[in-house]
């Protein structure tokens, strides 16, 4: 397995790597200035750079609405873990959006309150969707195979594509089961990028 991050492979991973880099650069530049820049002002600049940059600026679990400008930080969030797998095949976001059949889908259901257990998060995610998943699978069918593979692992609460692809994630409530799944995926898919990690907790 290549010892590198998906973002280092030169592929569009669907993990918000570019947005996270932009948010980090904004925080750095704001810290170097003589005058203090308020978070609201910095968020406006972030939104002008991309829809996901404001959320990356928050860098905590949050609910996003609109085009990314409406952000509600979550005060409770379950301790959970994810397994990420990327087939190292490029998925161009513009190509995925061109294949999107409908842009007028129902809004997200309300989040459970309080959101404290991984099973709650999995049930809520099960009622939602990633509209970009079907067109991405049409372009790179292995994405669908990876979703099915991840979903079969013991302890996997839900498996889905991240963003516009091609990374797929599996949600786990147990660190041990997440790391075991990642270990097994590396054996069965030695040419793919695989990682297991805890989900960021509220600050």
């Amino acid at each position: 397995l290549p010892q590198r991050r998906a973002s280092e492979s030169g592929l569009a991973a669907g993990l918000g790597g570019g947005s996270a880099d932009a948010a980090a650069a904004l925080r750095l530049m704001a810290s170097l200035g003589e005058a203090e820049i308020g978070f609201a002002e910095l968020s406006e600049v972030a939104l002008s750079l991309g829809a996901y940059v404001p959320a990356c600026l928050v860098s905590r679990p949050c609910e996003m609405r609109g085009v990314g400008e409406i952000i509600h930080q979550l005060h409770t969030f379950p301790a959970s873990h994810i397994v990420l797998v990327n087939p190292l095949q490029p998925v161009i976001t513009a190509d995925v959006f061109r294949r999107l059949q409908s842009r007028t889908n129902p809004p997200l259901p309300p989040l459970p309150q309080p959101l404290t257990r991984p099973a709650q998060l999995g049930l809520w995610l099960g009622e939602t969707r990633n509209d970009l998943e079907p067109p991405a699978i049409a372009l790179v069918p292995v994405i669908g195979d990876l979703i099915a593979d991840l979903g079969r692992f013991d302890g996997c609460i839900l498996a889905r594509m991240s963003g516009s692809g091609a990374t797929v994630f599996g949600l786990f409530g147990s660190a041990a089961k997440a790391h075991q799944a990642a270990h097994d995926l590396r054996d069965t898919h030695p040419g793919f990028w695989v990682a297991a990690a805890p989900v960021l907790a509220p600050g």
Side-chain angles (χ1 to χ4, degrees):
L1 176 70
Q3 295 300 308
R4 58 185 179 182
R5 297 174 298 171
S7 60
E8 293 173 341
S9 67
L11 302 177
L15 295 173
S19 297
D21 288 346
L26 275 178
R27 284 195 294 264
L28 175 62
M29 288 187 289
S31 69
L32 295 175
E34 294 182 3
E36 183 176 347
I37 301 175
F39 185 80
E41 185 179 355
L42 206 58
S43 294
E44 288 183 16
V45 178
L47 183 60
S48 72
L49 298 176
Y52 302 147
V53 182
C56 291
L57 196 63
V58 173
S59 197
R60 291 289 184 273
C62 56
E63 180 184 20
M64 297 170 59
R65 294 186 181 271
V67 297
E69 81 283 9
I70 304 171
I71 298 177
H72 299 291
Q73 291 193 53
L74 302 180
H75 300 295
T76 60
F77 198 79
S80 49
H81 301 264
I82 53 172
V83 173
L84 301 170
V85 55
N86 187 294
L88 300 183
Q89 294 185 35
V91 180
I92 307 303
T93 302
D95 293 342
V96 174
F97 272 94
R98 273 193 288 270
R99 288 174 172 258
L100 189 60
Q101 297 295 315
S102 173
R103 299 170 187 259
T104 57
N105 294 304
L108 293 173
L111 280 165
Q113 297 296 335
L115 181 57
T116 56
R117 292 176 292 144
Q120 287 178 293
L121 179 59
L123 287 171
W124 178 80
L125 285 170
E127 296 178 0
T128 68
R129 69 205 178 272
N130 181 346
D131 295 329
L132 301 179
E133 193 173 273
I137 291 173
L139 289 167
V140 182
V142 70
I143 293 172
D145 298 335
L146 289 175
I147 293 171
D149 290 347
L150 256 177
R152 284 191 285 265
F153 279 104
D154 180 37
C156 184
I157 300 170
L158 177 134
R160 183 169 290 168
M161 187 184 79
S162 175
S164 57
T167 305
V168 170
F169 73 89
L171 176 68
F172 290 77
S174 160
K177 290 183 177 180
H179 283 281
Q180 183 62 53
H183 176 273
D184 293 346
L185 278 169
R186 291 188 188 103
D187 285 342
T188 56
H189 301 287
F192 292 178
W193 177 85
V194 182
V199 176
L200 197 65

